[in-house]
Amino acid sequence: MKLKILSKSIYIFLCSLMLYLCMSRSLAMPIQGDEAGTYLRHVTQGWNGYLNLSTANNHLLNTSLVWISTLFAPFSETAIRLPSLLISAWFFLWYIPKRFTPSSWILRLMFVSIAFIPYYFNEYLSMARGYGMASIFALCSLNELAAFQQAESRHIKLYLTSLFISLSCLSSLTIFPLFIVVNIGILNYLLNDSKWVFGWTDLKRWERVKIIYLIPMVFTLLISTYTFIRIKLSGVATIAGGSESFFGWLIEIPNGIITPLQGAMLGGDFPRLAPSPYLEHIISILILALISYQLVRFFKTSNRKNPWLFGFFLVLISITLIYFLSLIGSYPHGRAWIPYWLPLVYIALTPIFSLNQLAINSEQFAGLEKNLLAISIILSLITIASTLAQFETRFTYELRPFYYQYKSLMHHSRAGTIHCLAYKDINDEVLKFYFLNKEGPIKPLIQCPKGIDSPTGFMQFSHKNKEPFFKQ
């Protein structure tokens, strides 16, 4: 009981701290380029913008929720980011404490302490992007699938599996391969259940209504397939090119094993402070080691009654499928892998979940719990120390210094100290975001005069004498 209270208290503290930091950043950080693009192109343009599926910025679920959250607070950074923050709070403060499988608070703590280690994943939880919520809903789907494996008679868990993976796919199309394999597994079960296929007349009325839960599967399949094709044809940045030859693709297989982990943590070539680079390598090795151990254990043991194994293989199959897609030049790049972060952590902990389940009724259980709690506390301390060492209200990956200059200029324009403003890149969406909000006397933007080449330079005209001066 003491171990449960201790692990639960640390869990609540860790999640509350991380969510507080996410909220602080979302309140203080200027709008980012992709956020502004989503809002201006897809939220404010009515149905034409919402149905514009030619850009990767239109994460359909995120776009829908942002439209709702900004109905009464247009052009508000906080309102735009509110859906991501609320879903993150719901997941860490309600879903995991109430529905996480296994039910051990120690294992819940271990999961979130690893999940929060990558600094960039935490930052995406505070942004109006679909990646964070896609990762959350994908994990929920795998968790419901594991719960269903433990109690097959409860079909509601099977439907929640389909519903959550549909929400994840609508949040980010990177999850599309996982959406396909998860629903193939669900359909395979239903087709093999003669009661559902051939015994329709024998079902009670309320049991027939349950089949409605499969509607998200069909709806998401249709819209995701169409969207996936549109994005691929548009050649956007989140779709990387495949290898030029089969031999080159074959050589890249080892790199293909590391790529999902690097992308999911946004490690590699992106600027980040210590200790992130070192922790990324350690966590990568740990996750790969646990996955390898589970594979070896699966093929060596005859006892395969593990409720997490099905989801374990579905994630691996979907990532393998994504890598095979690189043969035709269509697979994720960089941050597009973020939706797979929580599922990767979850399946990596499969052998630990299984070990804990087998030891519950044994004499060694108390000793195992103490060891797992000690490991979880160490991981939590590392997570907190690493996050606080790097934390700043600015978004370090996509930070552009002139985003802050834009926001400052907006306040000056409202105060009447700026008559008009010229900028080199007239199509910059962050600039448009701040100056389309016409609360000040700012006049229409004009093109910068010739001779000004700085991409971060802008021309201000004072409100009084209208004499131009250049400011970097």
Side-chain angles (χ1 to χ4, degrees), residues 13-205:
F13 173 76
L14 176 61
C15 290
S16 299
L17 174 63
M18 293 301 170
L19 291 172
Y20 170 75
L21 296 178
C22 287
M23 182 178 64
S24 301
R25 187 185 296 109
S26 68
L27 292 173
M29 183 174 63
I31 201 75
Q32 302 299 299
D34 286 338
E35 291 178 307
T38 298
Y39 185 70
L40 294 177
R41 292 186 206 166
H42 307 296
V43 176
T44 62
Q45 300 301 313
W47 281 108
N48 289 333
Y50 185 77
L51 297 176
N52 178 10
L53 303 175
S54 62
T55 73
N57 276 342
N58 191 7
H59 299 175
L60 293 175
L61 181 60
N62 177 65
T63 301
S64 303
L65 295 176
V66 170
W67 178 79
I68 295 172
S69 66
T70 56
L71 282 176
F72 301 102
F75 291 89
S76 166
E77 299 103 322
T78 304
I80 290 173
R81 293 165 180 153
L82 187 61
S84 293
L85 290 173
L86 290 179
I87 289 174
S88 299
W90 165 82
F91 176 71
F92 289 107
L93 298 181
W94 186 88
Y95 183 84
I96 291 185
K98 295 291 185 181
R99 301 188 65 88
F100 193 70
T101 304
S103 58
S104 168
W105 276 100
I106 295 175
L107 295 180
R108 290 168 179 164
L109 176 61
M110 179 177 288
F111 170 76
V112 298
S113 60
I114 296 175
F116 277 128
I117 283 181
Y119 187 68
Y120 285 126
F121 177 75
N122 304 338
E123 291 198 322
Y124 269 99
L125 293 178
S126 61
M127 291 189 69
R129 308 290 291 129
Y131 302 122
M133 62 179 69
S135 191
I136 286 173
F137 288 131
L139 188 278
C140 292
S141 178
L142 295 175
N143 184 68
E144 295 297 333
L145 185 60
F148 170 76
Q149 296 291 320
Q150 289 181 326
E152 289 192 11
S153 61
R154 302 188 64 181
H155 286 87
I156 185 64
K157 295 185 181 297
L158 197 64
Y159 303 129
L160 286 176
T161 300
S162 180
L163 176 63
F164 280 129
I165 200 63
S166 297
L167 292 175
S168 178
C169 191
L170 290 173
S171 300
S172 174
L173 273 178
T174 311
I175 290 291
F176 187 60
L178 182 59
F179 166 83
I180 293 295
V181 296
V182 166
N183 282 301
I184 287 176
I186 293 173
L187 290 174
N188 179 65
Y189 176 82
L190 293 177
L191 291 174
N192 289 329
D193 190 339
S194 58
K195 177 183 177 183
W196 283 84
V197 179
F198 303 108
W200 176 264
T201 57
D202 299 327
L203 293 178
K204 297 179 181 178
R205 183 177 180 182

Side-chain angles (χ1 to χ4, degrees), residues 310-323:
F310 193 29
F312 174 87
F313 282 107
L314 289 181
V315 174
L316 294 185
I317 290 170
S318 66
I319 292 177
T320 303
L321 181 61
I322 290 175
Y323 192 61

